[in-house]
Amino acid sequence: PETPPRYNIAPSQAVPAVIQSRETGAREFRPFKWGLVPSWAKDPAIGNRMINARSETAATKPTFRKPLRERRCLILADGFYEWKREGSRKQPHYIKLQSGDPFAFAGLWESWHDKAHPDAPPVETFTILTTDANETVAAIHDRMPVILPAGLVEDWLSAPPDRAQALLAPYAGPVAVRAIAKLVGNPRNDTPDVLADA
């Protein structure tokens, strides 16, 4: 489906993701809220703290281990932002593949049902897995999202859990990094202007 371009996506907002149906094996592309709410959570506000999951511990954490086994997803992007601390201030940077091609983050998704309102539709949410930064990104931050190499996105959706876990590594390909304007610090600024050089 057609989706409008986004330049500044913030946690709690709806983001298109690709999942694989457990029933049919078919791919589905639909919106999920950023910030994973475990199925057992009493309050969906917990999702505000679950925007990322450390890949090193996801298989053992109660919040993430079942989604890692059964509910993986692809979050599509062509870049992401990271902030570098410079003295008392932080400078935002835009990071993309050197080729400029779009890519997929490794994500996990979950479906939460409000037991107080059983007729309400489920709340579908996701989190992005993180790993150690590669050499280029490490100059800015010690962590980065897991970017799946293009040939392995199918494996992430359908491989057995141990094979999927092995994909959670720092991106080995070349990436481009540049400092950008601080407009990106406000999620209301969702225009190409956020990509302007610092």
Side-chain angles (χ1 to χ4, degrees), residues 130-149:
T130 66
T131 186
D132 289 332
N134 64 20
E135 185 176 356
T136 305
V137 177
I140 300 168
H141 199 274
D142 63 341
R143 305 286 295 176
M144 70 181 294
V146 174
I147 297 174
L148 296 164

Side-chain angles (χ1 to χ4, degrees), residues 72 159-167:
R72 294 173 231 138
D162 57 343
R163 168 63 179 150
Q165 181 76 43
L167 302 178

Side-chain angles (χ1 to χ4, degrees), residues 67 85 103 158:
R85 184 169 294 281
F103 56 84
S158 58

Side-chain angles (χ1 to χ4, degrees), residues 21-144:
S21 168
R22 293 184 68 204
E23 291 75 24
T24 67
R27 302 284 192 266
E28 298 178 14
F29 183 64
R30 63 175 196 253
F32 289 76
K33 184 178 176 181
W34 187 7
L36 189 135
V37 179
S39 60
W40 43 262
K42 294 181 179 178
D43 185 349
I46 192 175
N48 297 331
R49 303 192 307 272
M50 303 291 177
I51 62 172
N52 293 329
R54 292 180 69 92
S55 58
E56 298 88 343
T57 57
T60 59
K61 295 286 185 183
T63 300
F64 305 122
R65 63 189 177 202
K66 188 170 184 181
L68 183 61
R69 289 195 309 267
E70 301 177 2
R71 288 184 287 278
R72 294 173 231 138
C73 63
L74 304 172
I75 308 300
L76 308 180
D78 57 12
F80 65 98
Y81 305 113
E82 192 54 78
W83 280 254
K84 180 181 181 180
R85 184 169 294 281
E86 298 176 346
S88 61
R89 67 186 194 97
K90 286 186 173 182
Q91 172 62 53
H93 289 74
Y94 176 58
I95 302 164
K96 64 176 185 174
L97 302 192
Q98 201 168 78
S99 65
D101 291 339
F103 56 84
F105 294 128
L108 306 174
W109 68 278
E110 186 61 276
S111 186
W112 181 81
H113 298 266
D114 186 351
K115 293 181 174 59
H117 301 92
D119 294 332
V123 177
E124 294 191 321
T125 60
F126 77 94
T127 189
I128 295 174
L129 286 145
T130 66
T131 186
D132 289 332
N134 64 20
E135 185 176 356
T136 305
V137 177
I140 300 168
H141 199 274
D142 63 341
R143 305 286 295 176
M144 70 181 294

